[in-house]
Amino acid sequence: MRLRDIITVLIIAVLIVVPMLFGIYGDFLWFITLGYESVFLTILFTGIGLFVLFFLAFFLLSFLNLKIANRLSRRKGKKSTGKVREMNKVITILIIIFSFVIGFAFTNWEVVLKFLNSSPFQVVDPVFGLDVGFYAFELPFYSFILNFFFALIILNIFFTLISHLSLIKKTKMETEEEGEGPEPEVEWIWGGRRRKHRHAHSYFFNWSGFKERITPHLSILLALLFFVLSAWLHLVQFGLLFSESGTVYGAGYTDLNVTLPLLNILSVISVLIGILFLVNIRFRKWRVIRDGILAFVIVGFLGLIATGAVQALVVAPDEFNLENTYIERNIEGTLAAYGLDSIQETIFPVSYNLTAQDILNNNETISNIRLWDWRPLKHTYTQLQLFRTYYDFGGVDIDRYNINGQYKQVMVSAREMNTGNLPSTAKTWVNEHLVYTHGYGVVMNPVDRVSKEGLPVFYVKDIPPSSDFSSLSLERPEIYYGEESHAYVVTNTETEELDYPYGEQNVYTSYEGTGGVVLSDVLRRLVYAMKFGSIELMLSGSLTPQSRILMYRDVRGRIEKPVPFLAYDPDPYIVVSEGKLYWVIDAYTVTDGYPYSEPIMAGYLRRAPFNYIRNSVKVVMDAYNGNVDYYVIDPDDPVIKTYQKIFPDLFKDFSRMPADLKNHIRYPEGLFSIQATLYSYYHMKDPMVFYNKEDVWVVPDEIYIGTRQQMIPYYVIMKLPGEEKEEFILMLPFTPKGKDNMIGWMAASSDFPTYGNLTVFQFSKQELTYGPMQVEARIDQDADISQLMTLWSQAGSQVIRGNTLVIPIEDSILYIEPLYLEATERGTLPQLKRVIAVYGDKLTMKETLQEALDDIFGAAPITPTGLTVPISQTAAEKLAQIADLFNKAQDALAEGDLGLYQQYIDQIGELAGG
């Protein structure tokens, strides 16, 4: 190889390897900041080790095979020609290239480490009696190894054929006049022959000679291939438990009575054919190779015909009786794999006999009915609490807080930085990465309170954030890590960071947290300049040795980077806790290796189809420092047990989570949706009912902005039937397929000690219980409501119909639907104008929820949670005066008249004191 070629190769290697090494080093520094460098090193070194192992194994075995091919093909006592050596170099280069490809293809560290650290499920499959852990952890590893041997042998058969064919040399012949001299000489040349002939360049390939020389070598390789094929067929029988060819998912009648014996027969035949190939090394009969392969193909083809015939002629005419056992297995496996086997089922006898006293007794439920739909509320937040165009509200979350002794459901949204909304002239590197670095604070309002203008009443608002409740005060309102934080930022520079706007001016700050990698030297700056393609990181004079680069700042990307093997809920939510802001997100363990369990595809989890899931981990991320903690809430999950063995320093026990954060753990909507979807079929535990799909449920629809759409699970504070106090639950109603009446509802508890409990309440099938769409139809058919909505929808306005909430109270069902009015022009402010309440055959629409309940039940005004003390007429009059003075005080404050505001406040104090 010439010097120029060597230099070219070195330059290419540097261009490829150096950026890769810089990227690894940059990520390693980032992992150190999180304290998870052991996770990084475990994954890195395992991947490197697997690459080296499979690279060397493929290269050495392939190179040895090439040497054997050369030795078997070369004539005794003869040396290889120059052209033969050149072809060997070409084959060697191919071997090196494929070695790299194989090395990279078999760096699946997760399969190997889960095999080495597997945990039993303590559940055995009903066919082979093996623990489910075998299918989740061991079977993938065995398949992984066999795939390598398949690739190794098949590619070496290819290399062998090339090697033998390359030794056939086309040679220019001297010509002789026809009839002159002796008969043409014939000389065997490595499977071919040449002879002198009167026609120049004549060449004849001797097929029989070629077969004789290649047969022993090819017999060895084919024997190995069929031995591996036999092992693979043995593993395939376990894969029958995941068959999709029968009535249900999992091995059915044909699979176990035809396909399974066929696989065993083919496995034995493969071994016999392999032995036959080894014997053929001595006899060198090409037809043995041909006939052996042909026999395997024929047996396999006949087996496929037999399988189809049995399914069509035996199973189909008597399908249920033959598949009954396997349907039961599918039901049991699916319920167990998705955590539905422990669900509590109960009858909910509906009777419409609620009284005003019942409403008062369930005051905590009534006072937490969610009147605010998150979709129009986000627009309201944007108009009232954004303040600057570079802020944004990414989403509105639902949570609950204990506020002054009351258990309140709230809606909360983080005010995040979005530099994409900056004017184009302001989108400079300095502004996007050094100045506009973080969001600021949250907005929070109770779900039930509405101002007289139809707007939310805020618990937390404004910049800087203010609250009337000490438990909601924020000492660290800065949001450096959030849902909208996608770009890297650099803090502690010579350029001041915008903290928050204050009137016509801005307040600036310098980051005081521990997040990010310190850019302490030129090497680190170079590493991240290359990583982000940003030359400014090298040249900017604003950066100092104390500067920190904060990257991977979006919630999901940040928690997924160190722990990519878990699946994550798409909806992280913000929590105010002890003066700081935290993001909480649910993480799932999944596998596709649970026998007889129906697989499901949930695209929002960014995972391939799986048939087992557990919400085993709760992840908490500090919005200021970016610290990420993974708390194991389900220590009995075998999958998370396995990961804990692999990464002993990664996970924390749930007991170590701060107590206040535990109060905000909620049952994840993503898991609940999956469970509800499956339960709509798998509540039919009778195989006959399941087979005929006699009682399929579906998630009902509702109306939103005039469009019919499927309901989504919703959180509510309520007292479940049979319980003594209210709790925060996630619920969803069901309707029979093809009908609109409600058949039941599912609830998941989010509060301890009942966290995770699933309950399904079923209604009587003999009595009508209105479903959401039937309630929507009744609303549409009400003349007064329809007339008012038509009137509002004119003159540049539109009516937004919020979520139809199904609220179980005692043994009755109350339906609530809020109505919002919004101008159709851009920059509108949705306002809650009416509340519709439906109970039994009663339907009403009023300005407030209390008025609607009064109209239906004649209920007294709602008292503070837990208090039902009657109010005397004198006290009621005094409260009315206080309320009137308070409204006047607020109006004076809004107008900037602090003197008048103070007078009203003093009068309120005198009334309260008297």
Side-chain angles (χ1 to χ4, degrees):
M1 183 178 290
R2 291 175 296 180
L3 179 61
R4 185 177 63 182
D5 296 333
I6 296 175
I7 294 175
T8 302
V9 171
L10 290 176
I11 291 174
I12 294 174
V14 168
L15 292 176
I16 295 175
V17 173
V18 170
M20 184 185 301
L21 293 177
F22 274 25
I24 292 173
Y25 179 61
D27 282 343
F28 179 63
L29 293 175
W30 181 80
F31 270 80
I32 291 176
T33 65
L34 291 178
Y36 296 138
E37 60 270 23
S38 62
V39 176
F40 179 85
L41 295 175
T42 297
I43 295 175
L44 177 65
F45 288 145
T46 304
I48 292 175
L50 290 173
F51 171 80
V52 172
L53 174 64
F54 287 103
F55 174 89
L56 290 178
F58 186 89
F59 177 79
L60 293 176
L61 292 174
S62 299
F63 193 74
L64 176 62
N65 178 70
L66 178 61
K67 290 296 184 183
I68 294 174
N70 288 338
R71 177 167 297 181
L72 291 176
S73 302
R74 189 182 305 126
R75 293 180 66 208
K76 187 174 182 181
K78 298 290 184 179
K79 295 183 179 180
S80 298
T81 65
K83 290 188 176 182
V84 170
R85 287 193 293 271
E86 287 184 10
M87 182 56 69
N88 282 340
K89 289 180 181 179
V90 172
I91 297 175
T92 302
I93 292 174
L94 285 176
I95 290 174
I96 293 174
I97 292 173
F98 277 104
S99 297
F100 274 104
V101 173
I102 294 295
F104 282 114
F106 287 85
T107 55
N108 194 332
W109 61 267
E110 192 172 353
V111 169
V112 176
L113 291 183
K114 285 199 293 188
F115 169 76
L116 297 175
N117 297 275
S118 61
S119 300
F121 277 67
Q122 304 297 337
V123 176
V124 297
D125 77 84
V127 177
F128 302 104
L130 297 173
D131 187 90
V132 173
F134 169 80
Y135 301 93
F137 306 125
E138 297 179 29
L139 188 59
F141 175 77
Y142 298 141
S143 299
F144 177 75
I145 297 300
L146 287 181
N147 287 339
F148 169 75
F149 282 112
F150 269 127
L152 173 68
I153 296 171
I154 291 173
L155 286 173
N156 272 279
I157 290 175
F158 170 69
F159 296 149
T160 299
L161 291 173
I162 293 177
S163 175
H164 281 275
L165 289 172
S166 68
L167 296 174
I168 300 172
K169 178 182 173 184
K170 183 175 181 180
T171 307
K172 183 177 180 180
M173 315 288 182
E174 295 181 359
T175 61
E176 291 183 358
E177 293 295 328
E178 186 174 356
E180 295 182 3
E183 289 291 322
E185 296 181 5
V186 177
E187 181 183 1
W188 293 104
I189 302 180
W190 306 305
R193 67 176 184 175
R194 70 180 182 185
R195 69 177 181 177
K196 296 177 181 179
H197 195 270
R198 71 186 184 92
H199 298 292
H201 308 293
S202 294
Y203 176 71
F204 298 89
F205 176 64
N206 188 337
W207 172 245
S208 60
F210 172 74
K211 289 190 296 182
E212 182 180 354
R213 296 216 176 252
I214 197 175
T215 295
H217 192 182
L218 196 59
S219 294
I220 296 174
L221 293 176
L222 288 174
L224 294 175
L225 179 63
F226 273 87
F227 289 150
V228 173
L229 180 60
S230 176
W232 179 79
L233 289 169
H234 179 70
L235 293 185
V236 169
Q237 67 178 331
F238 301 114
L240 292 177
L241 302 189
F242 308 92
S243 171
E244 300 182 50
S245 61
T247 305
V248 293
Y249 187 81
Y253 179 87
T254 303
D255 294 316
L256 296 183
N257 291 277
V258 180
T259 307
L260 181 59
L262 174 64
L263 289 173
N264 289 327
I265 291 172
L266 287 174
S267 181
V268 173
I269 290 176
S270 296
V271 173
L272 294 178
I273 292 174
I275 295 173
L276 187 63
F277 283 149
L278 292 179
V279 173
N280 193 48
I281 296 173
R282 177 179 179 83
F283 296 102
R284 302 191 179 193
K285 300 295 184 181
W286 180 261
R287 68 173 181 271
V288 172
I289 295 177
R290 178 197 63 196
D291 296 343
I293 296 175
L294 185 61
F296 181 86
V297 171
I298 291 174
V299 172
F301 180 71
L302 293 176
L304 289 177
I305 294 176
T307 300
V310 170
Q311 183 66 33
L313 302 178
V314 178
V315 177
D318 192 24
E319 189 171 49
F320 174 73
N321 290 325
L322 294 179
E323 299 282 6
N324 181 25
T325 300
Y326 313 112
I327 294 174
E328 288 182 349
R329 292 174 180 176
N330 174 258
I331 294 173
E332 293 173 1
T334 301
L335 292 175
Y338 291 94
L340 295 170
D341 54 341
S342 60
I343 199 168
Q344 181 181 353
E345 299 175 342
T346 185
I347 301 298
F348 190 97
V350 179
S351 59
Y352 294 100
N353 56 2
L354 284 182
T355 65
Q357 188 60 46
D358 292 323
I359 297 299
L360 287 175
N361 292 341
N362 289 273
N363 184 43
E364 195 161 326
T365 297
I366 299 299
S367 63
N368 282 289
I369 291 178
R370 180 166 58 84
L371 301 180
W372 287 104
D373 187 301
W374 68 269
R375 290 161 289 195
L377 182 61
K378 181 179 177 181
H379 293 298
T380 302
Y381 280 175
T382 300
Q383 294 299 316
L384 299 180
Q385 288 290 310
L386 207 57
F387 301 119
R388 292 292 189 274
T389 58
Y390 46 74
Y391 286 128
D392 193 14
F393 291 110
V396 180
D397 302 313
I398 300 175
D399 202 354
R400 73 286 195 198
Y401 288 77
N402 279 297
I403 301 174
N404 288 356
Q406 293 190 18
Y407 196 45
K408 291 298 296 182
Q409 186 175 351
V410 302
M411 307 190 79
V412 57
S413 184
R415 186 185 294 105
E416 298 195 55
M417 178 63 66
N418 186 351
T419 56
N421 292 332
L422 288 171
S424 57
T425 55
K427 290 182 180 179
T428 64
W429 183 84
V430 171
N431 280 341
E432 291 183 328
H433 299 284
L434 305 186
V435 178
Y436 297 94
T437 57
H438 59 277
Y440 207 84
V442 299
V443 177
M444 181 188 296
N445 67 282
V447 296
D448 63 316
R449 293 190 60 187
V450 185
S451 72
K452 60 183 180 181
E453 295 85 8
L455 301 174
V457 175
F458 294 109
Y459 278 174
V460 182
K461 61 180 180 178
D462 298 341
I463 298 178
S466 63
S467 176
D468 294 331
F469 307 101
S470 58
S471 60
L472 298 179
S473 61
L474 284 172
E475 299 174 5
R476 272 294 175 203
E478 301 92 340
I479 302 175
Y480 282 87
Y481 301 88
E483 292 184 274
E484 302 290 318
S485 307
H486 299 294
Y488 73 89
V489 297
V490 183
T491 63
N492 305 102
T493 67
E494 297 292 340
T495 302
E496 291 183 312
E497 296 176 51
L498 170 70
D499 200 18
Y500 58 89
Y502 189 75
E504 299 299 323
Q505 299 179 344
N506 291 330
V507 176
Y508 294 91
T509 188
S510 183
Y511 183 63
E512 298 175 356
T514 59
V517 178
V518 179
L519 300 176
S520 56
D521 52 53
V522 175
L523 176 60
R524 292 188 176 193
R525 292 175 66 169
L526 176 61
V527 164
Y528 293 111
M530 294 184 63
K531 182 178 182 66
F532 296 109
S534 176
I535 191 65
E536 293 87 351
L537 287 172
M538 282 295 297
L539 302 180
S540 175
S542 294
L543 274 61
T544 71
Q546 289 74 43
S547 296
R548 292 174 174 267
I549 182 168
L550 281 58
M551 54 188 179
Y552 303 123
R553 298 191 303 129
D554 63 295
V555 179
R556 189 160 179 174
R558 187 172 184 81
I559 64 176
E560 203 171 273
K561 180 70 175 178
V563 186
F565 44 84
L566 298 180
Y568 295 95
D569 197 271
D571 184 29
Y573 57 99
I574 194 84
V575 173
V576 178
S577 178
E578 298 180 350
K580 298 187 66 177
L581 295 173
Y582 298 91
W583 293 97
V584 179
I585 188 169
D586 292 278
Y588 308 104
T589 54
V590 298
T591 180
D592 60 356
Y594 201 102
Y596 279 104
S597 174
E598 185 72 26
I600 193 169
M601 179 68 183
Y604 53 83
L605 294 185
R606 303 179 187 175
R607 283 293 185 274
F610 53 85
N611 65 357
Y612 170 93
I613 185 171
R614 289 292 186 272
N615 174 218
S616 297
V617 179
K618 301 289 185 179
V619 188
V620 177
M621 189 182 83
D622 189 316
Y624 185 71
N625 290 316
N627 299 332
V628 183
D629 295 303
Y630 301 84
Y631 296 98
V632 176
I633 194 171
D634 184 4
D636 296 326
D637 171 28
V639 181
I640 201 62
K641 284 182 179 179
T642 297
Y643 284 127
Q644 285 179 295
K645 293 178 183 177
I646 299 172
F647 306 106
D649 300 325
L650 173 59
F651 298 100
K652 297 180 180 179
D653 189 85
F654 185 70
S655 61
R656 296 175 59 185
M657 179 182 285
D660 189 57
L661 284 176
K662 287 181 181 178
N663 295 330
H664 298 280
I665 294 302
R666 66 186 193 184
Y667 199 87
E669 183 181 325
L671 174 60
F672 188 81
S673 297
I674 292 171
Q675 291 174 319
T677 298
L678 288 163
Y679 193 79
S680 64
Y681 283 88
Y682 284 89
H683 70 277
M684 299 180 288
K685 298 182 179 64
D686 185 295
M688 176 65 80
V689 176
F690 185 91
Y691 175 77
N692 292 315
K693 302 295 186 288
E694 297 176 14
D695 190 24
V696 176
W697 298 351
V698 296
V699 176
D701 291 341
E702 62 176 351
I703 301 295
Y704 181 74
I705 315 184
T707 303
R708 180 166 177 159
Q709 61 183 28
Q710 190 178 73
M711 292 185 71
I712 59 175
Y714 54 92
Y715 293 97
V716 63
I717 290 179
M718 62 167 288
K719 185 191 299 181
L720 288 172
E723 299 295 330
E724 297 182 357
K725 67 176 185 176
E726 285 80 3
E727 56 184 308
F728 189 61
I729 68 166
L730 182 61
M731 66 170 291
L732 186 67
F734 293 108
T735 59
K737 186 177 183 179
K739 298 181 179 180
D740 288 329
N741 62 289
M742 196 155 59
I743 193 65
W745 55 285
M746 177 185 285
S749 298
S750 292
D751 291 342
F752 294 98
T754 59
Y755 174 85
N757 289 354
L758 291 174
T759 309
V760 171
F761 299 90
Q762 298 188 38
F763 301 126
S764 170
K765 297 180 181 179
Q766 283 70 46
E767 298 179 9
L768 173 65
T769 302
Y770 289 117
M773 284 306 298
Q774 291 175 323
V775 171
E776 299 279 16
R778 289 182 61 188
I779 294 172
D780 289 336
Q781 294 164 8
D782 186 278
D784 294 335
I785 295 176
S786 179
Q787 183 178 7
L788 183 58
M789 286 196 293
T790 301
L791 180 64
W792 276 345
S793 298
Q794 299 173 356
S797 298
Q798 69 170 349
V799 175
I800 300 175
R801 296 169 68 163
N803 293 123
T804 302
L805 301 179
V806 180
I807 310 295
I809 300 178
E810 301 292 343
D811 56 356
S812 296
I813 299 292
L814 175 66
Y815 305 87
I816 301 294
E817 182 174 299
L819 292 183
Y820 311 91
L821 186 62
E822 179 184 38
T824 55
E825 298 178 0
R826 188 175 180 180
T828 58
L829 181 64
Q831 297 171 290
L832 197 156
K833 286 298 184 182
R834 295 291 186 272
V835 177
I836 299 174
V838 180
Y839 177 74
D841 59 354
K842 299 178 181 179
L843 185 152
T844 186
M845 182 175 71
K846 297 295 180 181
E847 291 188 5
T848 67
L849 173 62
Q850 186 59 54
E851 291 176 358
L853 296 178
D854 287 347
D855 190 42
I856 292 177
F857 302 105
I862 298 176
T863 59
T865 304
L867 300 178
T868 57
V869 180
I871 301 176
S872 66
Q873 184 64 29
T874 302
E877 292 174 353
K878 183 180 292 187
L879 288 174
Q881 293 177 26
I882 290 175
D884 182 62
L885 289 170
F886 179 79
N887 289 333
K888 291 179 179 179
Q890 293 300 309
D891 291 339
L893 181 62
E895 295 172 1
D897 192 340
L898 298 180
L900 184 59
Y901 170 81
Q902 188 60 48
Q903 291 179 23
Y904 287 132
I905 294 299
D906 292 340
Q907 292 180 44
I908 291 174
E910 292 174 3
L911 281 172

